[in-house]
Amino acid sequence: MAELKVRDLSEQDLAGIEFSAKRAHLSREAYLRELIHHDATDHLLSGDVSDLRELTRQMAIIIEQNTKAYLDFVDAVRRLSSEN
């Protein structure tokens, strides 16, 4: 594994990192490792997230269309039942 040393970090930034690490129940090192990993790999997922958003949008349209068709069908069945 590679090692990384960060110099000239302000006390305020270090305190913020310490606070965030404690809130996440992680050591400072583990917290920073996760932060770096997420930042380094975020670009790999951005296309997938866009694809999922588009699929979700399309599925919402399909669900709306199917719901309308179902309600129209139920209405037609009720009209037929009331006529008999």
Side-chain angles (χ1 to χ4, degrees):
M1 284 272 181
E3 236 179 82
L4 177 68
K5 184 175 186 174
V6 179
R7 293 185 175 91
D8 300 323
L9 190 63
S10 74
E11 292 296 324
Q12 185 178 8
D13 288 345
L14 183 58
I17 290 167
E18 292 280 354
F19 176 79
S20 296
K22 284 180 184 176
R23 188 178 59 212
H25 304 289
L26 296 169
S27 68
R28 180 173 55 191
E29 186 175 320
Y31 174 77
L32 289 172
R33 195 170 24 250
E34 282 192 15
L35 196 63
I36 290 167
H37 173 73
H38 288 292
D39 188 67
T41 58
D42 187 47
H43 68 282
L44 299 174
L45 299 176
S46 62
D48 291 341
V49 170
S50 295
D51 292 348
L52 286 173
R53 279 193 189 111
E54 177 58 22
L55 286 172
T56 302
R57 188 188 69 73
Q58 291 174 8
M59 291 304 296
I61 291 169
I62 291 168
I63 289 169
E64 287 176 23
Q65 291 171 343
N66 286 344
T67 300
K68 183 184 179 320
Y70 172 75
L71 293 175
D72 289 346
F73 173 76
V74 168
D75 189 43
V77 168
R78 285 183 181 150
R79 276 186 272 133
L80 285 174
S81 295
S82 66
E83 290 174 4
N84 292 331

